[in-house]
């Protein structure tokens, strides 16, 4: 499998915060990306199991936070995806989102750049969202791609977004910059790129004392329908 633009996560410990840096480039989701993200989450969960009271910040570098599904891998002229494998891949991606959504620790997305389609939904798997104010858009652009939303995708959007924002995001593919994302209830804070990561770590550090199995239970209860739908992994025909 080609590696250009896929997610290549690295973990760094900063006090009580685990920084999950997804790397550079477009950071698109394909099977290798999901396997790498799940391996990183395995490490985070091993820290939790060992009794570490931690929080997690997810971020990246360059122009993109993540540009969503690797459409070149899936549909491009040199596509590597066998059509019959696509539903399982999309299910695995939604399963990874569910892992993040249900972690029994505080999670913060430090959105360093563009977050489109599946990348925009992955942002919402985090408890708190900080966006870069001087670059990047959050956008659900399936209507432009002529692709349906899987039930899990619809569920995470419905669980996290106000109704007006949900309608605008899904039906118009509106590109929300940081200020409009905060106003629309997508993001919690907007910061200059020079301080975004530090502010995210600061927030995560402050929230780390809430890490506990009960936090995971509260998330399971708060997002019961979204988690069930994400974990079910149902995928519609892509036409």
């Amino acid at each position: 499998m080609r590696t250009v633009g896929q997610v290549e996560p690295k973990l760094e410990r900063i006090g009580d915060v685990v920084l999950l840096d997804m790397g550079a480039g477009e950071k698109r989701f394909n099977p290798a990306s999901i396997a790498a993200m799940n391996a990183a989450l395995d490490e985070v969960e091993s820290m939790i199991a060992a009794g570490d009271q931690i929080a997690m910040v997810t971020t990246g570098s360059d122009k993109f936070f993540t540009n969503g599904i690797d459409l070149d891998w899936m549909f491009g002229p040199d596509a590597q995806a066998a059509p019959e494998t696509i539903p399982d891949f999309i299910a695995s991606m939604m399963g990874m989102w569910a892992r993040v959504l249900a972690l029994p620790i505080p999670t913060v997305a430090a959105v360093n750049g563009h977050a489109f389609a599946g990348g925009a939904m992955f942002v919402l798997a985090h408890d708190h969202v900080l966006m870069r104010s001087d670059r990047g858009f959050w956008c659900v652009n399936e209507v432009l791609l002529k692709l349906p939303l899987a039930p899990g995708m619809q569920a995470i959007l419905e669980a996290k977004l106000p109704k007006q924002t949900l309608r605008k995001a899904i039906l118009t593919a509106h590109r929300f910059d940081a200020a409009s994302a905060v106003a629309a209830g997508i993001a919690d804070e907007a910061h200059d790129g020079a301080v975004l990561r530090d502010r995210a770590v600061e927030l995560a550090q402050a929230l780390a004392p809430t890490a506990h199995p009960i936090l995971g239970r509260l998330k399971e209860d708060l997002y019961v329908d979204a988690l069930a739908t994400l974990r079910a992994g149902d995928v519609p025909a892509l036409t």
Side-chain angles (χ1 to χ4, degrees):
M1 175 175 291
R2 67 183 181 84
T3 59
V4 175
Q6 75 183 35
V7 180
E8 298 178 340
K10 294 181 180 179
L11 296 176
E12 178 185 356
R13 185 72 178 262
I14 305 171
D16 296 323
V17 177
V18 176
L19 182 71
L20 194 166
D21 188 328
M22 295 187 292
E26 292 192 23
K27 297 177 280 295
R28 286 186 175 269
F29 294 135
N30 54 39
S33 295
I34 300 307
M37 286 295 291
N38 278 322
L41 292 173
D42 287 344
E43 290 189 52
V44 173
E45 289 182 345
S46 71
M47 297 178 199
I48 297 168
D52 288 5
Q53 194 166 38
I54 55 175
M56 184 177 80
V57 171
T58 306
T59 193
S61 58
D62 288 351
K63 184 178 179 180
F64 293 89
F65 178 75
T66 162
N67 207 13
I69 291 175
D70 187 343
L71 295 177
D72 288 340
W73 167 81
M74 189 180 291
F75 298 127
D78 298 317
Q80 299 175 23
E84 65 273 15
T85 68
I86 290 174
D88 285 345
F89 157 67
I90 295 175
S92 71
M93 178 180 67
M94 294 189 296
M96 186 270 287
W97 299 348
R99 289 185 74 181
V100 174
L101 186 61
L103 281 172
I105 62 173
T107 59
V108 180
V111 184
N112 57 284
H114 300 310
F116 277 72
M121 298 167 215
F122 178 54
V123 167
L124 300 181
H126 296 78
D127 302 329
H128 310 278
V129 176
L130 279 58
M131 282 184 66
R132 180 170 176 168
S133 58
D134 53 325
R135 184 175 69 192
F137 297 104
W138 183 98
C139 177
V140 176
N141 62 340
E142 274 71 10
V143 69
L144 301 181
L145 297 172
K146 306 297 190 291
L147 292 172
L149 292 170
M153 298 174 178
Q154 182 77 27
I156 196 169
L157 290 166
E158 290 182 354
K160 288 298 190 87
L161 299 180
K163 287 291 186 182
Q164 280 190 311
T165 302
L166 181 70
R167 174 179 57 82
K168 188 172 186 177
I170 292 175
L171 299 185
T172 73
H174 182 76
R175 296 186 176 197
F176 294 85
D177 63 12
S180 61
V182 171
I186 299 164
D188 301 293
E189 300 176 15
H191 297 280
D192 184 87
V195 301
L196 176 70
R197 185 175 296 205
D198 287 346
R199 170 57 189 149
V201 170
E202 177 186 46
L203 175 60
Q205 180 68 49
L207 293 169
T210 67
H212 189 275
I214 195 62
L215 179 60
R217 172 63 183 274
L218 291 169
K219 292 184 187 183
E220 292 281 351
D221 292 344
L222 183 60
Y223 304 121
V224 58
D225 293 334
L227 284 166
T229 308
L230 285 166
R231 289 164 175 161
D234 294 333
V235 178
L238 299 177
T239 57

